[in-house]
């Protein structure tokens, strides 16, 4: 059997050599300097130099059957228990076998004969080695082979799966995304058990090397759109990517617009529903917020509960949300505009009450509105960032100062307090638009105070023009309201019953005005295969 | 994937609303101040204007059917060369001046009816800033915005109908002095003559989905006739309401007849419909200015071509949106600061029909002639203009 052993040895050696050479042949001269060499000592010197003797690098040199190997791991990222059980024990067992083993034998044994870890990779460069090392892999370097074998033994601590704080629901799943990307991927896979669901991992951030995953259904995604997004992500000019919001502006056509054509969610069920509609999801390691592309404006007003409640109640809640959105943006500005420029628009009884309240205040109406909104935003920001007990105290102080003392002192009129309170409550009804409406309400107070209703109308027009210009992947974010399609309205203001919704599958490319083109990935791949 | 286009329904809505702006500014049945068509004759005038609209459409259509996938200015430049570029510049000028005039007319309304103490030019300037922004965002953006405008207009019309249905008097339609046949034709022409939107329609054609195929495309014709018929019917309906409520003179003697109608609606079913009217008017005016400025920029793109030589021509070609913006603001300032009589004279010249005749009859006919000569190996512009490439 010696000839068989020699054959195997030679095959393993050739395989490792072939893989290494084929990889090396792809890189430039600069990249080639980054490659692992056959000498373990040289590799370790170079590695320590690049790693700067960082305290969290664990390295242990072993001698297995006379072969020097180096086991590397990052402290806190690998599970020590798994390392012992999965890697150390079998390696010790290997060491106790008969002598006469070569590095190639060890490589073949690790790669082909034992199943030490299901997630096992090979690395040929330092940059790859660092990438895996810092992603919770244990890396084994063998003297005499310019290749490292990585074992997925992640064991770092992370926040457990819990209910998403920003998207709370009454009925349905309580699971929300967590920070590690792999956990999030499993949560999606558990919900869509289709071979058409594809995860595509890539790395972004030249320094942070953050894992990012494109998630889509191959039979529903537009090929052009997917290629375009891939290209944008590959060209991302960022050193560090810590959150999905970092990459969001690079995927948008109009990053300075008040509204975005890209949505976020913390919920795996919401994300799965969007993926099934032919959209692209992007998961970023280290954040529970996934991106959804493209995202329609009216989807800001939808929640998971809309699909579990009865349609009539859903319609009521949605209309309430639309009203609250417009109230938040326009109520303070319109109140100021009417009070300053068009008092004749108010009914006499209301006008008298408002005039009486405002007559006792020393500030002009516009200044008063800006001041009280500013105080409210200050208190909200302070309450948000402080520890919870102190945050409550801020709330009490705010209520006393604004609600009571300022009115009693005659600094602020009671109707204005009412307006601000109503605006504040309304602003929380659609949390995904909170940041936009906060800025907009100040702008509309200024427009209304200076130019009256004409200013408000012009402001709304400019805002709508801006919103109408937002597209992602050729899909207008204002669809299906404009470009209009009555059929698509079945899930906009109202929500049709499940019998109807289930009968006609919604697809993002079917949205009116969409220029994505019906080039779905599977169809395109099939076409390529069909070509001679 | 990145070509900007609008659907034919968006184009129809946009063009319809732009024309409605004119209807809100001045009564279509009273081309001259103080002289208006009365009774049912006034209601029939918009329907009769359909004939004039067809006549104005024909030369343009004859030109455009030979240039599928091109806009009006491109077709003129293609057939007339240097002369065509001059014609494009003329179109740019017409549309820019029209946009400025629309802004100033709206400002005059605001100063007259709402903000009596407001300084001149302020509102026109603000109005134009938003319109320039809209035209800069492109035809897709303001094409989509047109749907919001349509909803607002429908709300206003519905409100007026509900509020004034009780005050409607059928007898007003049978006025004793309905006017002569000449007055009737003049009123019908007046409705058509202010319609530079037809030029915008021809300039927008390649960006309306379905119009680029074949000879002019079936959608293009349908769209035009749909637009004309819809506008005529709505105009006739609104005039019917105006005459039935305000009296036989079709509100001709009064400035801003529909604002007057909105004022009349107060105290009936709903209060303060004039505020709604003002908002709708602002939106429609904005849409019109956006369309005119976008059309002007399209014409300028064909009119001024990039040359290798540094100079004014190159500067204009590279900054055409900026140039249009500056020209429209300066023109609006000129109109706004001139006295009311002078502005009325400008308005009358504009609405007399010379400009529309030049833009929609003379230029297309010249284009057709140029095309014919070109096909027979001759050129109209031998020795005129330079060579260059459209930006």
């Amino acid at each position: 059997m010696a000839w068989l052993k020699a054959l195997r040895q030679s095959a393993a050696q050739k395989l490792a050599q072939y893989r290494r050479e084929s990889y090396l042949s792809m890189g430039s001269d600069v990249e080639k300097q980054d490659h692992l060499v056959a000498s373990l000592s040289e590799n370790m010197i170079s590695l320590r130099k690049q790693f700067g003797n960082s305290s969290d690098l664990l390295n242990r040199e072993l001698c297995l059957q006379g072969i020097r190997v180096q086991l590397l791991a990052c402290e806190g990222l690998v599970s020590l228990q798994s390392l012992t059980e999965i890697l150390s024990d079998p390696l010790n067992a290997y060491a106790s076998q008969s002598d006469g083993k070569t590095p190639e034998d060890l490589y073949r044994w690790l790669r082909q004969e034992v199943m030490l870890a299901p997630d096992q990779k090979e690395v040929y460069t330092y940059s790859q080695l660092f990438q895996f090392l810092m992603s919770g892999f244990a890396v084994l370097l063998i003297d005499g082979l310019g290749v490292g074998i990585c074992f997925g033994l992640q064991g770092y601590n992370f926040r457990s799966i819990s209910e998403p704080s920003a998207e709370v629901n009454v009925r349905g799943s309580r699971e929300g995304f967590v920070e590690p990307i792999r956990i999030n991927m499993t949560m999606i896979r558990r919900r869509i058990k289709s071979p058409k669901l594809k995860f595509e991992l890539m790395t972004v951030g030249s320094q942070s090397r953050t894992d990012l995953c494109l998630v889509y259904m191959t039979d529903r995604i537009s090929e052009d759109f997917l290629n375009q997004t891939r290209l944008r992500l590959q060209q991302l000019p960022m050193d560090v990517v810590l959150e999905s919001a970092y990459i969001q502006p690079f995927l948008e056509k109009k990053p300075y617009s008040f509204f975005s054509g890209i949505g976020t969610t913390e919920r795996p069920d919401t994300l799965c529903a969007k993926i099934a509609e032919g959209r692209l999801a992007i998961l970023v390691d280290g954040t529970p917020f996934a991106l959804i592309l493209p995202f329609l404006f009216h989807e800001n007003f939808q929640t998971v509960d809309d699909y579990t409640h009865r349609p009539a109640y859903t319609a009521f809640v949605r209309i309430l949300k639309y009203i609250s959105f417009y109230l938040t943006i326009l109520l303070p500005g319109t109140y100021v505009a009417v009070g300053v420029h068009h008092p004749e628009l108010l009914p006499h009884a209301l006008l008298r009450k408002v005039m009486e309240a405002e007559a006792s205040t020393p500030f002009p109406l516009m200044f008063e509105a800006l001041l009280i909104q500013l105080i409210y935003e200050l208190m909200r920001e302070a309450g948000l960032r402080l520890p919870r007990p102190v945050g409550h105290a801020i709330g009490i102080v705010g209520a006393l100062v604004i609600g009571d003392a300022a009115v009693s002192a005659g600094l602020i009129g009671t109707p204005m307090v009412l307006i601000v309170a109503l605006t504040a409550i309304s602003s929380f009804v659609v949390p995904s638009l909170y940041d936009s409406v906060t800025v907009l309400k100040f702008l509309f107070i200024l427009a209304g105070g200076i130019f009256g209703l004409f200013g408000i109308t012009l402001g709304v027009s400019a805002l709508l023009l801006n919103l109408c210009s937002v597209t992602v992947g050729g899909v207008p974010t204002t669809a299906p309201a404009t470009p209009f399609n009555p059929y698509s309205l079945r899930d906009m203001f109202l929500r049709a019953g499940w019998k109807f919704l289930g009968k006609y599958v919604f697809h993002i490319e079917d949205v009116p005005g969409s220029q994505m083109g019906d080039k779905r990935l599977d169809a395109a791949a099939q076409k390529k295969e069909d070509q001679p | 994937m990145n070509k900007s286009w609008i659907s034919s329904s968006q184009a129809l809505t946009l063009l319809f609303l732009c024309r409605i702006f004119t209807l809100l500014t001045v009564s279509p049945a009273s081309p001259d101040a103080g002289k208006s068509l009365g009774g049912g004759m006034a209601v029939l005038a918009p329907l009769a204007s359909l004939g004039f609209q067809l006549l104005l459409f024909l030369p343009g259509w004859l030109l455009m059917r030979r240039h599928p996938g091109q806009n009006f200015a491109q077709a003129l430049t293609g057939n007339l060369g240097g002369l065509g570029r001059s014609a494009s510049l003329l179109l740019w000028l017409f549309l820019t001046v029209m946009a400025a005039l629309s802004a100033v007319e709206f400002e005059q309304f605001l100063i007259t009816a709402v903000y009596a103490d407001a300084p001149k030019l302020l509102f026109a300037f603000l109005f134009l800033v938003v319109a320039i922004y809209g035209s800069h965002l492109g035809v897709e953006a303001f094409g989509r915005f047109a749907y919001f405008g349509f909803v607002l207009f429908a709300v206003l019309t519905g409100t007026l109908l509900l509020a004034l249905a009780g005050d409607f008097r059928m007898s007003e339609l049978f006025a004793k002095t309905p006017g002569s046949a000449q007055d009737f034709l003049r009123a019908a022409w007046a409705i058509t003559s202010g319609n530079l939107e037809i030029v915008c329609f021809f300039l927008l054609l390649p960006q309306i989905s379905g119009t680029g195929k074949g000879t002019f495309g079936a959608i293009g014709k349908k769209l035009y006739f749909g637009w004309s018929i819809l506008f005529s019917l709505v105009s006739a309906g609104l005039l019917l309401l105006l005459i039935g409520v305000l009296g036989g003179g079709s509100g001709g003697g009064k400035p801003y007849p529909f604002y007057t109608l909105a004022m009349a609606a107060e105290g009936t079913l709903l209060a303060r419909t004039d505020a709604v009217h003002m908002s709708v008017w602002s939106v429609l005016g904005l849409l019109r200015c956006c369309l005119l400025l976008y059309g002007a920029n399209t014409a300028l793109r064909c009119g001024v071509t990039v040359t290798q030589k540094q100079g004014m021509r190159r500067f204009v070609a590279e900054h055409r949106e900026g140039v249009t913006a500056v020209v429209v603001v300066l023109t609006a300032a000129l109109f706004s600061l001139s006295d009311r009589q002078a502005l009325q004279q400008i308005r009358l010249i504009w609405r007399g029909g010379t400009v529309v005749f030049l833009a929609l009859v003379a230029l297309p006919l010249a284009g057709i002639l140029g095309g014919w000569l070109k096909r027979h190996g001759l050129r109209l512009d031998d020795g005129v203009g330079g060579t260059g490439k459209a930006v």
Side-chain angles (χ1 to χ4, degrees):
Chain A
M1 300 300 278
W3 65 272
L4 188 64
K5 193 180 169 187
L7 194 68
R8 272 187 186 171
Q9 190 178 328
S10 154
Q13 200 172 356
K14 278 179 183 167
L15 181 69
Q17 187 67 18
Y18 169 74
R19 282 184 182 167
R20 188 163 183 277
E21 278 171 5
S22 62
Y23 187 82
L24 292 183
S25 66
M26 287 190 292
S28 63
D29 288 344
V30 179
E31 283 169 344
K32 279 174 188 169
Q33 288 174 7
D34 187 38
H35 292 133
L36 293 169
V37 291
S39 163
L40 182 66
S41 308
E42 276 182 44
N43 280 336
M44 285 310 293
I45 290 165
S46 185
L47 206 135
R48 286 205 183 95
K49 200 173 152 190
Q50 289 190 47
F51 217 76
N53 285 326
S54 184
S55 318
D56 60 338
L57 179 67
L58 295 176
N59 62 314
R60 174 97 166 85
E61 192 169 321
L62 304 165
C63 191
L64 305 172
Q65 298 279 340
I67 308 159
R68 284 172 63 219
V69 295
Q70 190 76 237
L71 184 65
L72 301 162
C74 251
E75 193 176 359
L77 290 179
V78 290
S79 159
L80 291 178
Q81 192 185 345
S82 306
L83 191 70
T84 313
E85 287 171 3
I86 297 174
L87 212 56
S88 303
D89 294 347
L91 284 177
N92 288 335
Y94 181 81
S96 62
Q97 288 177 12
S98 58
D99 290 347
K101 304 280 185 187
T102 61
E104 286 77 22
D105 286 333
L106 178 60
Y107 170 80
R108 185 167 44 79
W109 181 76
L110 287 167
R111 293 294 284 151
Q112 294 170 3
E113 293 181 9
V114 287
M115 176 81 171
L116 295 178
D119 196 1
Q120 208 167 313
K121 301 266 182 347
E122 282 179 18
V123 289
Y124 303 98
T125 63
Y126 291 107
S127 47
Q128 283 180 332
L129 190 145
F130 288 133
Q131 171 78 21
F132 281 104
L133 210 57
M134 288 165 215
S135 301
F137 280 73
V139 183
L140 200 72
L141 293 177
I142 304 167
D143 192 23
L145 290 178
V147 60
I149 304 168
C150 307
F151 304 92
L153 302 173
Q154 289 91 337
Y156 41 81
N157 292 322
F158 56 88
R159 187 172 61 88
S160 61
I161 295 171
S162 57
E163 192 169 9
S165 55
E167 290 173 86
V168 181
N169 63 321
V170 178
R171 190 172 157 182
S173 164
R174 304 278 172 192
E175 279 187 350
F177 284 131
V178 286
E179 282 71 15
I181 195 167
R182 310 273 167 175
I183 310 283
N184 295 342
M185 285 159 69
T186 57
M187 278 195 265
I188 298 169
R189 177 63 78 187
R190 262 175 42 216
R191 285 169 173 83
I192 303 179
K193 298 178 187 76
S194 162
K196 304 281 184 190
L197 177 72
K198 189 171 171 184
F199 294 99
E200 197 178 309
L201 271 170
M202 58 198 296
T203 311
V204 288
S206 55
Q207 293 301 315
S208 66
R209 305 199 173 207
T210 311
D211 279 337
L212 178 148
C213 185
L214 303 181
V215 192
Y216 53 87
M217 301 281 285
T218 55
D219 59 336
R220 297 183 182 195
I221 192 88
S222 157
E223 190 194 13
D224 284 350
F225 176 57
L226 187 65
N227 289 337
Q228 209 178 61
T229 313
R230 266 193 210 123
L231 194 70
R232 285 186 184 201
L233 288 171
Q234 279 160 5
Q235 294 170 348
L236 204 69
M238 297 284 283
D239 283 349
V240 177
V241 174
L242 301 176
E243 220 281 328
S244 52
Y246 284 43
I247 60 169
Q248 194 171 339
F250 297 97
L251 302 171
E252 288 175 323
K253 228 175 166 183
K254 291 187 185 295
Y256 298 109
S257 171
F258 278 108
F259 303 104
S260 175
I262 298 175
T264 57
T265 184
E266 271 190 277
R267 300 187 64 92
D269 46 4
T270 303
L271 195 77
C272 288
K274 303 294 177 200
I275 292 169
E277 288 173 353
R279 298 180 218 230
L280 176 67
I282 300 179
L283 301 172
V284 177
D285 194 30
T287 174
F289 291 93
L291 299 180
I292 302 164
L293 294 85
F295 191 75
L296 305 178
F297 181 71
H298 79 266
E299 288 172 334
N300 286 302
F301 301 87
Q302 294 176 346
T303 58
V304 176
D305 278 334
D306 291 356
Y307 302 93
T308 53
H309 291 309
R310 310 291 293 174
Y313 180 72
T314 300
F316 170 71
V317 172
R318 279 197 187 163
I319 290 166
L320 207 64
K321 282 180 192 167
Y322 280 101
I323 291 171
S324 70
F325 171 69
Y326 292 114
L327 275 183
T328 313
I329 295 181
L330 297 176
L331 184 67
T334 310
Y335 176 73
V336 171
V338 170
V340 176
H341 296 278
H342 315 275
E344 74 279 2
L345 290 181
L346 293 173
H348 290 298
L350 183 61
L351 181 65
R352 201 172 56 247
K353 289 276 180 198
V354 170
M355 285 299 151
E356 277 171 11
E358 295 303 332
S360 59
T361 61
F363 304 119
L365 201 58
M366 186 178 83
F367 183 73
E368 192 185 321
L370 286 173
L371 184 74
I372 198 161
Q373 288 284 359
L374 205 68
I375 292 170
Y376 161 70
E377 290 300 330
L378 275 173
M379 287 190 308
R380 190 195 61 80
E381 198 60 26
L384 202 70
R385 311 284 167 214
L386 283 170
R388 219 165 257 180
V390 190
H392 288 311
I394 292 278
I396 295 163
V397 170
L400 282 174
V401 169
I402 291 184
D404 193 33
V407 175
S408 308
L411 292 173
I412 294 162
T414 321
M416 186 58 84
V417 176
L418 192 71
I419 296 279
V420 172
L422 196 58
T423 311
I425 294 165
S426 306
S427 65
F428 291 114
V429 176
V430 189
S432 56
L433 293 172
Y434 184 82
D435 47 354
S436 306
V437 297
T438 304
V439 180
L440 285 171
K441 73 182 170 194
F442 279 99
L443 294 180
F444 278 107
I445 290 173
L446 285 172
I450 300 170
F451 303 111
L453 283 181
F454 174 66
I456 299 269
T457 310
L458 276 192
V460 171
S461 302
L463 186 70
L464 286 175
L465 278 168
N466 180 276
L467 177 63
C468 289
S469 69
V470 177
T471 56
V472 169
V475 176
T477 193
T478 46
T482 172
F484 181 67
N485 182 354
Y487 175 71
S488 300
L489 289 178
R490 65 190 187 276
D491 194 17
M492 194 176 161
F493 296 112
L494 310 174
R495 198 268 290 169
W498 269 115
K499 280 186 182 174
F500 187 77
L501 283 181
K503 203 171 168 184
Y504 305 101
V505 180
F506 174 80
H507 192 277
I508 192 70
E509 283 181 1
D510 302 332
V511 161
S514 165
Q515 291 188 48
M516 269 186 156
D518 197 13
K519 288 181 189 168
R520 295 177 198 176
L521 200 58
D522 265 12
Q526 187 65 45
K527 203 175 167 186
K528 275 179 196 161
E529 277 174 20
D530 292 346
Q531 280 172 355
Chain B
M1 194 162 168
N2 293 321
K3 186 182 182 299
S4 55
W5 59 269
I6 54 173
S7 66
S8 49
S9 62
Q10 275 176 311
L12 177 74
T13 314
L14 181 64
L15 293 165
F16 167 72
L17 292 178
C18 290
R19 291 227 60 200
I20 286 291
F21 177 79
T22 321
L23 190 74
L24 296 180
T25 316
V26 61
S27 170
S30 56
D32 299 337
K35 193 174 181 184
S36 59
L37 205 63
M41 291 285 273
V43 179
L44 293 175
L47 301 175
S49 76
L50 272 172
F52 287 117
Q53 288 182 52
L54 180 67
L55 283 177
L56 284 182
F57 174 68
L58 273 174
W61 175 66
L62 289 171
L63 175 71
M64 296 307 293
R65 65 199 287 266
R66 287 195 175 273
H67 298 273
Q70 287 190 349
N71 66 43
F72 191 40
Q74 282 170 332
L76 285 175
T77 314
N79 282 359
L80 297 173
L83 279 178
R85 277 193 284 282
S86 307
S88 299
L89 282 178
L90 207 62
L91 286 177
W92 167 76
L93 188 69
F94 288 160
L95 295 171
T96 310
V97 171
M98 197 67 176
L101 196 66
S102 301
V104 173
E105 276 179 342
F106 183 68
E107 184 198 48
Q108 283 214 335
F109 155 71
L110 281 179
I111 291 176
T112 311
V114 190
Y115 303 91
D117 303 324
K120 277 191 169 180
L121 192 62
L122 177 71
F123 289 121
F125 178 72
L126 276 175
F127 192 77
L128 282 174
V129 165
V130 181
I132 290 164
Y133 174 64
S135 73
H136 165 73
L137 289 176
V139 68
E140 283 188 340
F142 64 82
R144 288 175 201 143
F145 177 58
Y147 278 148
F148 291 111
F150 185 79
V151 172
L152 277 176
F153 175 71
V155 168
L156 172 72
T157 314
T159 312
L160 289 181
L161 279 174
L162 275 173
L164 297 171
D167 298 336
F168 188 82
R169 295 181 301 276
M170 202 65 184
S171 58
E172 296 290 351
L173 294 175
F174 306 101
K176 284 173 189 170
T177 53
S180 64
Q182 198 185 358
D183 291 336
F184 178 74
L185 286 175
R186 280 184 60 196
W189 172 245
I191 291 170
T192 318
S193 64
N195 187 8
L196 260 187
E197 283 88 353
I198 303 181
V199 178
C200 292
F201 167 74
F202 286 131
L203 285 169
L204 269 186
L205 266 177
Q207 278 152 304
I208 302 171
S209 61
T211 51
K213 296 170 195 163
T215 53
F216 193 60
I219 293 174
K221 273 181 280 181
K222 276 185 196 165
L223 176 61
Y224 181 81
F225 291 119
W227 169 39
S228 304
I229 292 167
L230 181 69
F231 173 74
S232 298
L233 289 176
V234 173
S235 304
L238 283 175
L239 272 173
L240 192 74
L241 189 69
L242 189 70
I243 294 164
V245 174
L246 292 184
S250 68
K254 299 181 182 72
Y256 319 116
F258 288 95
Y259 182 68
T260 317
L261 202 65
M263 297 275 276
E266 291 168 28
T268 53
L269 190 71
L270 296 159
R272 307 306 307 190
T273 42
D274 55 334
V276 185
H277 182 274
M278 191 192 75
S279 302
V280 174
W281 203 354
S282 310
V283 171
L284 300 194
L286 264 179
L287 272 171
R288 185 168 205 248
C289 282
C290 286
L291 179 70
L292 293 171
L293 290 175
Y294 186 81
N297 284 327
T298 310
L300 189 60
R301 190 171 53 200
C302 299
V304 182
T305 51
V306 169
T307 55
Q308 293 297 319
K309 217 167 45 177
Q310 291 284 347
M312 179 61 89
R313 191 166 144 187
R314 182 170 175 160
F315 177 83
V316 172
E318 285 175 351
H319 303 92
R320 56 179 181 276
E321 282 190 21
V323 169
T324 309
V326 170
V327 171
V328 77
V329 170
L330 290 178
T331 314
L334 193 73
F335 287 161
S336 182
L337 299 173
S338 60
D339 65 275
R340 199 166 276 250
Q341 284 294 326
L343 190 63
Q344 183 65 19
Q345 286 303 316
I346 295 166
R347 200 177 286 151
L348 285 177
I349 293 168
W350 208 256
R351 296 224 169 101
T354 318
V355 173
V356 165
F357 179 81
L358 200 62
L360 291 168
V361 180
L363 288 181
L365 287 179
I368 292 164
L369 180 67
W372 185 83
L373 290 174
K374 202 175 162 185
R375 280 197 297 281
H376 290 82
L378 299 161
R379 280 178 74 87
L380 262 184
D381 69 326
D382 283 343
V384 181
T387 53
K389 206 173 83 179
V391 185

